[in-house]
Amino acid sequence: MSIQDKLRKLPSVDKILGHVDCQPLVARYGRPKALDAMRSVVDEVREQMKNGDDIPLSDSSPWFITKAAQMLEASSRPNLKKVINCTGVIIHTNMGRALLAKEAIQAATLAGSHNVNLEYKTDEGKRGERDELVEGLIVDLTGAQAATVVNNNAAAIFLALNTLSEGKETLVSRGELIEIGGSFRLPEIMAKSGCLLREVGTTNRTHMADYEDAITGDTALILRAHTSNYSIVGFTSQPGYQELSGLARSKDIPFVVDLGSGALIDMEPLGLKDELTIRKTLRMGADIVTFSGDKLLGGPQAGIIAGNGKLVDRIRKNHLKRALRCDKMTLAALEATLRLYQNPELALRNIPTLRALSRDVDEIRQVAVKVAGAMETFFGKEAEVTVMDDICRAGSGAAPRADIPSVSVAIKHSQMNPNQLAGWFRRLSPPVAGRVEADLFRLDIRLIENKKEITDSLAH
Ligand SMILES: *Cc1c(COP(=O)(O)O)cnc(C)c1O
């Protein structure tokens, strides 16, 4: 049979779509999607035949239907999927940062499934203010006079600067002009907020006199930013919070601190020495602090602005707040997370990020040994598996200098180099993300509570 004859024998898309076996596809995906898929399968087969490929085509409809079903199934898989984080970065920005406590998930589910009193006073039947859902808790936990919440910490800084310094100068030390993860650059945020950046001092040393000399009638505030993802070591100097706040007070301008992570409880017992709590920062004289909800706090993505009542009130009344506010599910999850902090022991136990940070190394090692056993069984002679002491990081700019002890499962494969092996693990379902360090592929186990979380991926 010539190619032309064969092409003529191809069934029409309409005929296949009318086939009884095709009806479940039409019902599940809808006629337009099923039609598109069938068209591309037939087109593909036509191309292959033109290239001389031998396609078996006796009663061809079921064959086309199977192909189209596979295509439709693949394209209907959710884009967002679970990833197993064995990278050794606990709060991983690219993987969605903090995991929510069960209580926070329940609250978000409630808010998503029902009408709620988001901005509604049930007693009076009047309009309320969404900040009130969490403000009292933040005030209790930080000692601030007032608080307001926006979409993330970048928005919090933006809104605070726009409110307090638009058209005027903000002083920042040259050592704090930070970039975080490529998309957050303090100078850019400042420019967009309409305030003028006045750089003070040098990269490694900034003195009180530098701030004093820089203050003019145009100065609206002093900003201090937590140098999240790096630290300047060696010949360095920075005035303390108390000194800066004293200077700001004497000039009658606010002192604003971008804390980044936002620890609500003392993080030193968890091995994070450099993270000041919000309460301490306010006590040392910050008028406003801003911090993220989904870093060390362990809640949903949010930016919290806390501090002086009058200043917070001005920030809250800024019309841009409307564009930066968070939704009901975020506020629900944030409220539930903050409630856990009312009993710090409960917070440590129930907030996954804090639990991960406080896990005992021996407990992690026990899980690592089980994971290693499963890897040995799976790979057999192909791989050499070892359990090794390792170091992991808090991530997302929290405590950049803290080495957190952890345990990794290291795998050397006879057929794949470390990067190929990392790729192989990433293509599992769910993907397992490890890291390659010192030419060795490792799975950090600090976030893994049960070996099944990893071995399930091997079974697919
Ligand atoms: C993470 C961070 C930010 C950005 O916070 P988002 O919540 O990601 O917007 C800003 N400043 C500092 C110091 C940070 O660590």
Side-chain angles (χ1 to χ4, degrees), residues 97 152-155 157 178 180 184 225-228 258-261 292-295 301-303 396-397:
R97 291 194 184 160
N152 56 16
N153 189 30
I157 299 160
I178 50 176
I180 299 159
F184 176 92
H226 182 66
T227 50
S228 282
D258 165 21
L259 263 189
S261 248
S292 296
D294 56 353
K295 292 185 177 174
Q301 180 189 302
S396 289

Side-chain angles (χ1 to χ4, degrees), residues 320-395:
L320 275 169
K321 164 88 195 300
R322 179 66 170 73
L324 305 172
R325 72 185 188 184
C326 16
D327 79 313
K328 58 180 177 170
M329 288 191 282
T330 299
L331 286 167
L334 184 61
E335 181 191 351
T337 307
L338 293 170
R339 277 193 193 284
L340 291 171
Y341 276 100
Q342 290 182 310
N343 174 356
E345 275 171 30
L346 202 62
L348 283 175
R349 213 170 333 125
N350 291 17
I351 296 175
T353 300
L354 297 186
R355 190 166 65 220
L357 283 166
S358 57
R359 265 180 100 198
D360 189 62
V361 177
D362 286 333
E363 186 196 325
I364 301 169
R365 188 173 294 110
Q366 281 172 19
V367 179
V369 167
K370 288 182 189 153
V371 171
M375 292 297 160
E376 273 171 348
T377 309
F378 182 83
F379 286 110
K381 288 201 174 62
E382 302 262 84
E384 191 187 311
V385 181
T386 46
V387 172
M388 61 181 280
D389 286 339
D390 212 341
I391 297 291
C392 71
R393 305 266 160 215

Side-chain angles (χ1 to χ4, degrees), residues 426-444:
R426 281 197 311 270
R427 283 187 292 275
L428 295 174
S429 174
V432 176
R435 80 173 188 282
V436 176
E437 193 179 313
D439 209 29
L440 192 58
F441 176 70
R442 315 158 179 214
L443 299 169
D444 188 294

Side-chain angles (χ1 to χ4, degrees), residues 270-275 391-395 398-405:
L270 304 186
L272 308 184
K273 291 197 201 69
D274 297 339
E275 288 300 327
I391 297 291
C392 71
R393 305 266 160 215
R401 283 184 292 184
D403 288 344
I404 301 166

